[in-house]
Amino acid sequence: MDLIKIAFVGNSENFDAYRKVLARFNEDVEFSGAWFPNDKPEDYSDTEFDSLEDLLAASNAVIFLGKVRRKLISDSIKAFRHIFVEDYDMLMNAEVKYLSDLAVEAKIMAQVSFPKIYFWGIEDIVDEYRAIRNIFFNREYLYLQQRQEPDIIPEIMSSIILVGEDVVRASRTVYPLISRRTEMQIVNLEFVTGATSSITGIPVGFFERHELRIIAERNLAYIDLRKREWHSLRPAKAITGNLIKGLAGLPEVGDLEQFELQDFIYSIKENSKPFISLTEIVRLHNCMKLLDD
């Protein structure tokens, strides 16, 4: 595929950001226009389609922005169009398995946005560590931020991506702190491979922390996701060798939209699986069901 013709369906606060990023890939990408089922950006002046059918006829890839009906996504997949979904939350229901199977059958690329994972460098960590056995996430918010409950969905999704398998057991423990409306969460996950992940979210920390620790095969890592520092401990040649400490900073992150769309475009051109596909969203959905049971 020489030129990827990408269109937008819907609107969100990131509309302009995604539009600007697409312009940087002008050798590979052509913006074919947009269709707005609901609200239209006030300053939009490019090509506007009257229907999804018109948009699909002029495009071979679609970016869905904001809250859109899932039927629009399934209709696009059935038309053999590659898709990028900005709002993962609208996929979190039983229908996501149908959409995932549909995308596999249609042999199209289906990517889902999760910008925090790009900011945390999870993609680089996956490339670095094989056979991960244990994952430990610790997140503490300053009490002054008045956060009543920590959002640990990105940590759960990161664990799923790092292990690359299905969650078979999941438990959540909630502790009221200071008041009944302020809760600490501990989530434990066990994967089909036997790997585990433990995620702690504390909304009343004295300091702001965001840490990731990994135990892999002959490899230990500590990553400060807030400071973007990466420490690694590895045996030298033999298990009895001295541990070598390495320190590296995670790559600089510019526009997160560029990382995501770059991955989307590369996947289409190289016919390779996107970093965060519908398969991972199916795993996340199933994991959340286990936690809610």
Side-chain angles (χ1 to χ4, degrees), residues 220-278:
L220 305 175
Y222 167 76
I223 300 163
D224 188 323
L225 296 171
R226 191 174 70 88
K227 296 181 180 179
R228 300 184 58 74
E229 292 180 352
W230 184 340
H231 304 255
S232 183
L233 291 168
R234 308 185 187 192
K237 294 186 179 179
I239 294 177
T240 56
N242 295 324
L243 289 174
I244 300 173
K245 178 179 178 181
L247 170 63
L250 290 169
E252 291 295 323
V253 174
D255 297 327
L256 296 173
E257 295 84 6
Q258 173 152 342
F259 278 73
E260 294 187 313
L261 294 189
Q262 184 174 296
D263 188 16
F264 183 50
I265 292 165
Y266 178 84
S267 297
I268 295 172
K269 291 183 69 68
E270 300 298 324
N271 193 30
S272 61
K273 181 177 176 291
F275 185 54
I276 306 173
S277 70
L278 288 175

Side-chain angles (χ1 to χ4, degrees), residues 14 53 56 59 71 73 78 95 100 102 128 146 152 158 161-162 165 167 181 199-201 207 215 220 226 235 255 289:
N14 292 324
E53 290 73 20
L56 295 178
S59 314
K71 186 177 184 302
I73 298 175
K78 290 175 183 176
E95 194 175 345
S100 179
L102 198 64
E128 183 73 16
Q146 298 295 311
I152 57 175
S158 295
I161 292 174
L162 287 166
E165 294 290 349
V167 176
R181 298 183 60 198
I199 302 165
T200 302
F207 306 97
I215 300 176
L220 305 175
R226 191 174 70 88
D255 297 327
K289 284 199 303 181

Side-chain angles (χ1 to χ4, degrees), residues 62-276:
V62 184
I63 294 178
F64 292 92
L65 298 173
K67 299 288 185 183
V68 298
R69 288 180 290 122
R70 284 179 291 276
K71 186 177 184 302
L72 300 179
I73 298 175
S74 63
D75 287 348
S76 300
I77 296 174
K78 290 175 183 176
F80 302 101
R81 300 301 187 266
H82 306 288
I83 65 164
F84 177 96
V85 180
E86 178 200 25
D87 187 352
Y88 80 88
D89 192 51
M90 71 180 208
L91 298 170
M92 293 289 285
N93 58 58
E95 194 175 345
V96 68
K97 179 66 166 60
Y98 166 73
L99 292 176
S100 179
D101 292 343
L102 198 64
V104 172
E105 183 180 353
K107 298 180 180 179
I108 58 94
M109 298 301 120
Q111 184 173 331
V112 182
S113 171
F114 240 107
K116 287 182 180 178
I117 289 174
Y118 286 88
F119 180 77
W120 298 344
I122 298 299
E123 191 168 18
D124 299 295
I125 297 169
V126 168
D127 291 338
E128 183 73 16
Y129 300 103
R130 304 295 178 187
I132 292 176
R133 296 172 180 172
N134 306 98
I135 296 167
F136 303 91
F137 273 104
N138 180 46
R139 182 152 206 174
E140 296 184 29
Y141 299 94
L142 290 175
Y143 178 61
L144 294 176
Q145 292 181 354
Q146 298 295 311
R147 185 180 293 270
Q148 295 175 355
E149 180 180 322
D151 176 18
I152 57 175
I153 297 292
E155 282 82 0
I156 293 174
M157 177 54 113
S158 295
S159 299
I160 290 170
I161 292 174
L162 287 166
V163 176
E165 294 290 349
D166 294 330
V167 176
V168 292
R169 293 184 184 82
S171 65
R172 186 203 314 261
T173 305
V174 178
Y175 299 99
L177 301 173
I178 301 180
S179 71
R180 292 182 179 179
R181 298 183 60 198
T182 305
E183 297 180 338
M184 168 183 171
Q185 288 192 63
I186 299 177
V187 168
N188 291 302
L189 310 177
E190 183 179 338
F191 294 85
V192 67
T193 59
T196 63
S197 175
S198 179
I199 302 165
T200 302
I202 304 175
V204 290
F206 288 100
F207 306 97
E208 188 170 348
R209 289 192 176 97
H210 196 191
E211 302 164 339
L212 166 60
R213 299 170 190 265
I214 292 173
I215 300 176
E217 185 175 334
R218 301 185 65 226
N219 207 330
L220 305 175
Y222 167 76
I223 300 163
D224 188 323
L225 296 171
R226 191 174 70 88
K227 296 181 180 179
R228 300 184 58 74
E229 292 180 352
W230 184 340
H231 304 255
S232 183
L233 291 168
R234 308 185 187 192
K237 294 186 179 179
I239 294 177
T240 56
N242 295 324
L243 289 174
I244 300 173
K245 178 179 178 181
L247 170 63
L250 290 169
E252 291 295 323
V253 174
D255 297 327
L256 296 173
E257 295 84 6
Q258 173 152 342
F259 278 73
E260 294 187 313
L261 294 189
Q262 184 174 296
D263 188 16
F264 183 50
I265 292 165
Y266 178 84
S267 297
I268 295 172
K269 291 183 69 68
E270 300 298 324
N271 193 30
S272 61
K273 181 177 176 291
F275 185 54
I276 306 173

